[in-house]
């Protein structure tokens, strides 16, 4: 059951109506209903792993209370329990996300030296959303130990925070203080918030179903048949894949945030127009913000403090470790580690010239367009990100290297019509995502200082014109949606 499906619409209609009928003084009844709905949603999607979600929630709930208790009584025990909790969360990730990888690697090694094993007999099923809810659990115990929040003694509220159904499968990764604070009181129906949430859901559906799913029809075939494509089509495929990932993932985030707004809950922002970034450091401050800010607070900053005596070398080491953590968070594959290392190395010149933490002042050229030098920096950053995503998307480091090598060495090869047709399937297949992608870029540039692209409709004073815009987007979704593809970040 995904957010852009009929089954989710029916499910959410029931949740929405009952939710506001349960309005009370403290919000406990609404929280309980949200928890029931969240566990139903997760169980419907991945019923075999629902006990894991419940068990880890109860376990970390108890650890949070214990850490809060020992914060006042015995700091050493509080620190030990926090370390134990963090290691426990990491162990969960290692077991479910990396055990298959380690077993297969050892199996391949033993087979290579003549000791035949069957590593696939140990295959472990990875729970959906485990990277997201585990990071919530870890951040909670750290925040309790740092005394940034009091331990949550309301089990229902805590479990709702961990299992909140709009975000459990693909984020955003909400911080405990902001989210739990919203569950401490009843939520009343807010017409303006519901309208804004509906608008953001619509915008997310447009990005996912009209742009990302149409682009997927092109890129999926190209990745599976890259050896037969000339360099210029491989380059075009990589450029399209980058935009596909953005519209797919940010589209889901918009829908999740919008659903939260319909329930009177503000979910963390996850994207801030990343392709308008002037360098890779700025890009990472705009892309998957709930993850990068999480790793900045809990990985980079502690490492930066620990390495501070090493000067710039210490900063670089902390940055590279942090970016490799970003890569490895996505899964157990050498490509993800290489992806993180690649981005970490891109930070070297930015750290050396002291610009990686600086916030630039935006200067707009004529007609509200970016200046040529700014446009050049944006395009350069997009190309660097695209190269990194080739590594990210490839099934192995060997395939990634072969893809890049073919793309560069065969760039001048003129493709025949049969290969072009094989790549784009049909003119309509390419026309829809290209035109809508261009429209998206223009809309997002005009609204880059607002929360999301469709905020521009609020500037239209005539309500009939506003409704026409909404109807046009709905019709575009109905008539131009691509072949429905699963959300890309469900695999993480």
């Amino acid at each position: 059951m995904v957010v852009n499906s009929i089954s989710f619409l029916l499910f959410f209609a029931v949740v929405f109506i009952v939710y506001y009928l349960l309005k009370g003084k403290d919000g406990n009844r609404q929280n309980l209903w949200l928890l029931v709905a969240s566990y139903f949603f997760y169980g419907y999607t991945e019923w075999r792993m629902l006990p894991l979600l419940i068990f880890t929630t109860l376990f970390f709930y108890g650890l949070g209370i214990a850490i809060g208790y020992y914060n006042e009584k015995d700091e050493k025990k509080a620190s030990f329990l926090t370390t134990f909790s963090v290691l426990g969360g990491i162990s969960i990730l290692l077991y479910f996300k990396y055990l298959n990888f380690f077993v297969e690697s050892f199996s391949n090694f033993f087979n290579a030296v003549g000791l035949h094993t069957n590593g696939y007999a140990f295959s472990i099923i990875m729970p959906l959303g485990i990277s997201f809810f585990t990071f919530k659990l870890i951040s909670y115990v750290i925040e309790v130990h740092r005394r940034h929040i009091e331990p949550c003694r309301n089990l229902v509220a805590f479990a709702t925070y961990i299992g909140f159904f709009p975000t459990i499968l693909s984020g955003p990764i909400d911080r405990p203080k902001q989210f739990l604070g919203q569950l401490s009181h009843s939520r009343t129906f807010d017409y303006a918030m519901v309208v804004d949430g509906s608008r953001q859901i619509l915008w997310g559906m447009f990005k996912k179903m009209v742009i990302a799913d149409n682009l997927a029809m092109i890129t999926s075939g190209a990745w599976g048949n890259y050896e037969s494509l000339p360099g210029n089509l491989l380059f075009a495929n990589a450029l399209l894949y980058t935009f596909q990932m953005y519209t797919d993932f940010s589209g889901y985030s918009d829908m999740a945030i919008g659903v939260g707004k319909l329930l009177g809950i503000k979910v963390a922002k996850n994207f801030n127009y990343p392709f308008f970034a002037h360098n890779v450091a700025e890009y990472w401050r705009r892309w998957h913000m709930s993850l990068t800010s999480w790793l900045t607070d809990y990985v980079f900053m502690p490492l930066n403090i620990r390495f501070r005596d090493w000067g710039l070398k210490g900063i670089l080491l902390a940055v590279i470790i942090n970016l490799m953590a970003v890569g490895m968070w996505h899964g157990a594959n050498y490509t993800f580690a290489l992806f993180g290392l690649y981005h970490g190395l891109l930070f070297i010149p930015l750290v050396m010239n002291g610009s990686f933490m600086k916030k630039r002042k935006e200067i707009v050229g004529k007609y509200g367009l970016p200046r040529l030098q700014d446009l050049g920096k944006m395009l350069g950053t997009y190309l660097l990100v695209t190269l990194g995503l080739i590594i990210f998307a490839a099934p192995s480091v060997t395939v990634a290297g072969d893809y890049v090598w073919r793309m560069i060495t065969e760039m001048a090869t003129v493709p025949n019509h049969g290969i072009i047709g094989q790549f784009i399937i049909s003119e309509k297949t390419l026309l829809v995502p290209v035109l809508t992608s261009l429209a998206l870029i223009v809309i997002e540039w005009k609204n880059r200082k607002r929360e999301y692209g469709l905020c521009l409709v609020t500037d239209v004073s005539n309500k009939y014109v506003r409704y026409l815009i909404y109807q046009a987007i709905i019709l575009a979704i109905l008539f131009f949606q691509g072949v429905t593809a699963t959300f890309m970040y469900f695999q993480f």
Side-chain angles (χ1 to χ4, degrees), residues 456-474:
L456 64 89
V457 181
T458 59
D459 294 336
V460 180
S461 57
N462 191 310
K463 66 178 181 179
Y464 297 107
V465 176
R466 292 201 301 271
Y467 293 148
L468 283 175
I469 295 173
Y470 297 142
Q471 291 298 325
I473 295 175
I474 293 171

Side-chain angles (χ1 to χ4, degrees), residues 83-152:
T83 302
F84 173 76
S85 303
V86 172
L87 291 177
I90 294 173
S91 297
I92 293 170
L93 284 176
L94 288 175
Y95 178 79
F96 285 102
K97 298 193 73 168
Y98 290 91
L99 184 62
N100 288 337
F101 171 76
F102 290 136
V103 169
E104 185 177 343
S105 296
F106 281 118
S107 177
N108 291 337
F109 171 76
F110 288 132
N111 289 335
V113 298
L115 301 174
H116 297 289
T117 61
N118 182 14
Y120 296 99
F122 301 98
S123 183
I124 301 295
I125 299 173
M126 187 180 74
L128 288 174
I130 189 170
S131 298
F132 297 94
F133 71 74
T134 303
F135 268 31
K136 284 185 181 181
L137 294 166
I138 293 174
S139 65
Y140 169 72
V141 293
I142 293 176
E143 292 297 289
V144 170
H145 182 242
R146 290 179 176 178
R147 303 173 192 263
H148 293 169
I149 59 172
E150 292 294 323
C152 179

Side-chain angles (χ1 to χ4, degrees), residues 160-218:
T160 301
Y161 159 61
I162 300 300
F164 189 52
F165 70 87
T167 62
I168 190 170
L169 298 183
S170 284
I173 305 169
D174 284 290
R175 297 297 181 87
K177 184 175 182 178
Q178 289 78 8
F179 197 94
L180 287 170
Q182 298 180 80
L183 300 183
S184 63
H185 54 80
S186 181
R187 278 76 62 191
T188 57
F189 182 88
D190 186 325
Y191 177 79
M193 198 170 180
V194 168
V195 169
D196 188 51
S198 301
R199 188 188 299 121
Q200 192 163 0
I201 293 171
L202 184 63
W203 187 236
M205 292 178 68
F206 176 79
K207 287 198 286 187
K208 163 62 178 171
M209 300 172 71
V210 178
I211 302 178
D213 285 353
N214 274 294
L215 287 173
M217 295 168 63
I218 302 169

